Amino acid sequence: MPIKHKRILLKLSGEALMGDTAYGIDRGTLQAMVADIAEIHALGVEVAVVIGGGNIFRGMALGAAGMDRATGDYMGMLATVMNSLALQDALKNVGIPARAQSALKIEQVLEPYIRPKALRYLEEGKVVIFAAGTGNPFFTTDTAAALRGAEIGAEIVLKATKVDGIYTADPKKDPNATRYSSISFDEAISKNLAVMDATAFALCRDQKLPIRVFSIVKPGALKRIVLGEDEGTLVHI
């Protein structure tokens, strides 16, 4: 079957790395994610990744607890750096070349984000991991995924969650909730669907960059998406 999406931006939440643990990174969950990435990498798909830090710190939560919001967000960016290092190491351990770049200047840990370098790495077949969000407080890693996806010319942003798409209501609370097979950006924004923030939706809409929301814990889901099969929820113009 031919590949539908040659270059993708995969958005992983930090919480997805937790598995069933209370915090941090679950080794088995990380290895399963790496196996999914390895599967599409072997098909020749160019993969870039933006990963959140919510399994370690949440800037907004820290702000709500009385800490300055900008300070909390910078702490969250450092959490994404830790997750990016873990993912880069796990990919290299299975023989997949990976490069992590940081929006914050921490050269002793990660090289800085430089767009031409990132594009060259992708063309060379390396998985590129974008750490530290946009490098600015008040912007989520969802927005970073939309921004980096547009910058590298990704064909689609794949938002990996623990739920297999966007629902009319929280399926854990409402048994009658139904899943959208597709939804427009305008409808997703007007309905205030919380699966991604409105800034990310608006940026992808303006750049005509579709988003597909899917379950990272569903076996084979990532591969089915890049092959063009129906999976999760497509957010489109």
Side-chain angles (χ1 to χ4, degrees), residues 161-183 187-188 191-196 201 213-215 217-218 231-235:
T161 70
K162 291 184 177 181
V163 182
D164 64 338
I166 301 175
Y167 281 75
T168 54
D170 187 342
K172 294 181 180 178
K173 299 177 181 178
D174 185 353
N176 296 316
T178 57
R179 179 176 62 85
Y180 294 100
S181 60
S182 67
I183 188 171
E187 189 176 0
K191 290 186 175 181
N192 197 30
L193 297 175
V195 67
M196 289 186 84
F201 275 141
V213 182
F214 74 105
S215 171
V217 297
K218 188 175 179 181
E231 187 71 45
T233 300
L234 179 67
V235 188

Side-chain angles (χ1 to χ4, degrees), residues 68-193:
D68 178 76
R69 169 64 191 276
T71 300
D73 282 354
Y74 280 119
M75 291 172 68
M77 291 179 217
L78 295 177
T80 72
V81 170
M82 287 187 273
N83 285 339
S84 297
L85 285 168
L87 180 59
Q88 176 183 250
D89 184 70
L91 286 165
K92 288 183 176 180
N93 284 342
V94 297
I96 298 177
R99 294 290 186 275
Q101 296 187 331
S102 171
L104 295 177
K105 294 182 178 179
I106 45 174
E107 284 90 342
Q108 294 92 335
V109 181
L110 292 178
E111 67 178 78
Y113 168 66
I114 301 173
R115 180 175 175 268
K117 266 193 174 183
L119 291 170
R120 187 174 76 248
Y121 288 152
L122 288 170
E123 291 165 358
E124 291 172 349
K126 297 179 175 69
V127 174
V128 182
I129 307 162
F130 298 120
T134 66
N136 300 286
F138 306 105
F139 291 93
T140 68
T141 50
D142 283 343
T143 300
L147 176 62
R148 298 293 183 243
E151 286 182 305
I152 66 170
E155 297 168 16
I156 192 168
V157 171
L158 303 180
K159 164 81 172 184
T161 70
K162 291 184 177 181
V163 182
D164 64 338
I166 301 175
Y167 281 75
T168 54
D170 187 342
K172 294 181 180 178
K173 299 177 181 178
D174 185 353
N176 296 316
T178 57
R179 179 176 62 85
Y180 294 100
S181 60
S182 67
I183 188 171
S184 70
F185 283 111
D186 289 338
E187 189 176 0
I189 293 170
S190 66
K191 290 186 175 181
N192 197 30
L193 297 175

Side-chain angles (χ1 to χ4, degrees), residues 36-58:
D36 284 343
I37 294 172
E39 196 171 31
I40 63 170
H41 182 266
L43 296 175
V45 177
E46 296 176 359
V47 184
V49 182
V50 168
I51 191 165
N55 56 321
I56 300 174
F57 286 113
R58 291 194 67 84

